[in-house]
Every structure is written in C-alpha cells, then in structure tokens.
Amino acid sequence: MDLLLQQIAAATTYLQSFSFETPRVGVVLGTGLGELVNHIKIAHSIPYQQIPHFPESTVESHKGHLILGHINDTPVVAMQGRFHYYEGYTMQQITFPVRVMKALGIQQLLLSNAAGGMNPDFKKGDLILLDDHINMQPENPLRGLNSPAYGPRFPDMSCPYDTVLGEKLQQTATAMGHPLKKGIYVSVMGPNLETRAEYRFLRMIGADLVGMSTVPEVIVANQLQLPCAAVSVVTDECDPDNLHPVSIEEIIAVAGKADKRLSSLFATVVAAL
Ligand code: HPA
C-alpha cells in the first residue's frame, strides 16, 4: 500500500475506535464560520493533533477539532477549521481530511468559506452558492503518482458542485426567507488580499468571488466521486474602483454575523439528508 493510503487507513482506524454511527455527511467550516457546531449533538470532539497524520491548524480563528455527532438523525463529521495552502501545507495535506471523511463513509460534503465579493450585485453578509470555480492556486492536490485507489487520474470537472445538493440548499434558503445568489469562486494562494489590479483581473476572467480555500477540497471530492456543495459568505466588497482597506478582523466579524444564517441553512439541509 502506498504511503498516502496507509496514512488514510491509520487516521480512519483511529477515528473508528471512537464509537459512533457511520457519518453520512461531511462538513468543512470556513474562517469565522464555526456556529454549525451548536446544531450538532456532539458525540466526540477530537483535536486535530490527536488524529494520525492530520495537519495541525495554525490559524487562530480556526479551532482545529473534528466533530463526530448528529444533526437530528443524520450522523455527521464536521471539520471545525480547515487547512490552507498559505499556512505552508502541501495540497495533499490540505485535502487529507476529505479523503479520511470519505473513508469513514460520508456520502456528501458541504463546505463553507469567507470570500471577497467582486460581483457588484454581492453585498457584505450575502450567502452565495458556488456554481463553479477557477483554480488559480499554484499547486494541485492530485499532482504526483496516482494510485487507482485515490480515484481517476484525470477526474472530470464539468460539474464540480452537485446540482441536487445545490438545489436542496437553494430551496431551503428560499424557504427560510434568504434565497442564495449563485457565483463562480476563484481560489488564490494568499495570504495577502488582492490589489485593485488583481481584483480587476479576477473579475475579468469570470469570477464573482475570491478566496484562499475550498477548491483543493472540491477537486479531491470530485476525484472521490463525492457529491459536494459550497457556500461562501461575502465578507468584503472588492470593487477595484472604490476599494477600502480591509483587515482579517473585519472579515472574521462579517463572517461571524452571517454565521447564524449559514449554520441554520446547513443544519436544516443536513437534517434532511
Ligand atoms: N480576497 C481573498 N480572500 C478573501 C477575501 C478577499 O478579498 N475576502 C475573504 N477572503
């Protein structure tokens, strides 16, 4: 067995040593977006550093726990805090938890993130359902030797976000009185935010939102043929002709304000899966 498969097996075996029902849904919670945890009946909250081969979260706003529990009757595994390329990890490390969650048995994956809104229709605090993405990060999680056990060498990406799961999110959000807008997310390396010229460029190539995460996990989910959906919270408005300085503290504060709405949405959808 190759090293990655051995590491996935070690992490999975460790997690299976906790007694819990096979999780049906995986959730990855983005920057400032941890409130979903309050909707989970928690069976186990396991610090990442205890899980074999899990990278350790270095970002203060990310708690770094893997949560096993239930939302209503749905068994879930939730990542409270994710890993980013700018922290210095490899793409393979960033996406390791997705492979482990799949090995644990999840059938669907939901992701959230904080993102800059470049589409002028998007306002701070809006929730945007990702429709597609552009990968501008400098490495790819599938680069290197590919064991057939990882999934196909050249995964199809014609529809990276599951339309059925997306429709469920949209219907639920609409029923809750906050229909989702849709958008295309471009992933960048970070950690600096963009210059005006960069926002102009990213808008020009077709992106509505910009952020530093999500795409690696979605690429791996697609390789694993794991249906996924992602929702961004617009934390800053990125108009290159009227750009205001923004700090990470403001980004986290805006994400925090939208977190209740996003978490209720995710919890309602997960409960029905
Ligand atoms: N750029 C990149 N990442 C981000 C932004 C942004 O403007 N806002 C939140 N995450």
Side-chain angles (χ1 to χ4, degrees), residues 33-64:
L33 299 169
E35 141 90 23
L36 182 77
V37 171
N38 299 334
H39 294 261
I40 303 178
K41 203 168 347 110
I42 299 176
H44 303 285
S45 174
I46 306 157
Y48 290 157
Q49 64 264 30
Q50 284 182 19
I51 307 172
H53 312 294
F54 249 59
E56 209 173 303
S57 189
T58 67
V59 183
E60 266 173 54
S61 51
H62 289 240
K63 287 230 168 71

Side-chain angles (χ1 to χ4, degrees), residues 36-105:
L36 182 77
V37 171
N38 299 334
H39 294 261
I40 303 178
K41 203 168 347 110
I42 299 176
H44 303 285
S45 174
I46 306 157
Y48 290 157
Q49 64 264 30
Q50 284 182 19
I51 307 172
H53 312 294
F54 249 59
E56 209 173 303
S57 189
T58 67
V59 183
E60 266 173 54
S61 51
H62 289 240
K63 287 230 168 71
H65 281 72
L66 196 73
I67 314 275
L68 295 164
H70 286 82
I71 297 180
N72 284 16
D73 291 333
T74 308
V76 296
V77 52
M79 287 182 69
Q80 197 179 20
R82 61 144 63 83
F83 304 104
H84 301 84
Y85 191 69
Y86 64 74
E87 293 176 82
Y89 303 115
T90 65
M91 285 291 180
Q92 208 177 69
Q93 287 177 301
I94 290 168
T95 53
F96 181 74
V98 175
R99 295 194 186 276
V100 172
M101 289 192 285
K102 168 76 177 171
L104 282 175

Side-chain angles (χ1 to χ4, degrees), residues 168-226:
K168 283 181 187 165
L169 283 161
Q170 184 60 277
Q171 278 170 8
T172 307
T174 304
M176 293 171 111
H178 299 283
L180 303 170
K181 294 174 185 169
K182 280 191 177 179
I184 298 172
Y185 177 95
V186 61
S187 61
V188 294
M189 178 160 62
N192 59 286
L193 300 180
E194 287 66 36
T195 64
R196 287 165 296 160
E198 287 166 342
Y199 284 130
R200 206 169 278 123
F201 165 73
L202 295 171
R203 181 79 187 128
M204 212 186 291
I205 63 170
D208 299 298
L209 296 152
V210 54
M212 305 171 195
S213 68
T214 306
V215 168
E217 292 112 313
V218 169
I219 291 174
V220 167
N222 275 265
Q223 187 187 38
L224 293 167
Q225 291 163 330
L226 174 63

Side-chain angles (χ1 to χ4, degrees), residues 111-206:
L111 306 109
S112 64
N113 63 54
M118 298 183 295
N119 183 325
D121 293 340
F122 294 178
K123 301 296 165 220
K124 268 190 208 180
D126 280 355
L127 302 187
I128 314 293
L129 180 66
L130 300 201
D131 196 25
D132 207 341
H133 71 226
I134 300 171
N135 183 14
M136 292 276 289
Q137 289 186 320
E139 206 203 313
N140 188 296
L142 311 186
R143 180 171 169 270
L145 286 178
N146 190 69
S147 158
Y150 302 169
R153 169 79 286 188
F154 302 106
D156 176 62
M157 290 294 278
S158 57
C159 187
Y161 299 87
D162 187 65
T163 47
V164 176
L165 199 47
E167 198 47 47
K168 283 181 187 165
L169 283 161
Q170 184 60 277
Q171 278 170 8
T172 307
T174 304
M176 293 171 111
H178 299 283
L180 303 170
K181 294 174 185 169
K182 280 191 177 179
I184 298 172
Y185 177 95
V186 61
S187 61
V188 294
M189 178 160 62
N192 59 286
L193 300 180
E194 287 66 36
T195 64
R196 287 165 296 160
E198 287 166 342
Y199 284 130
R200 206 169 278 123
F201 165 73
L202 295 171
R203 181 79 187 128
M204 212 186 291
I205 63 170

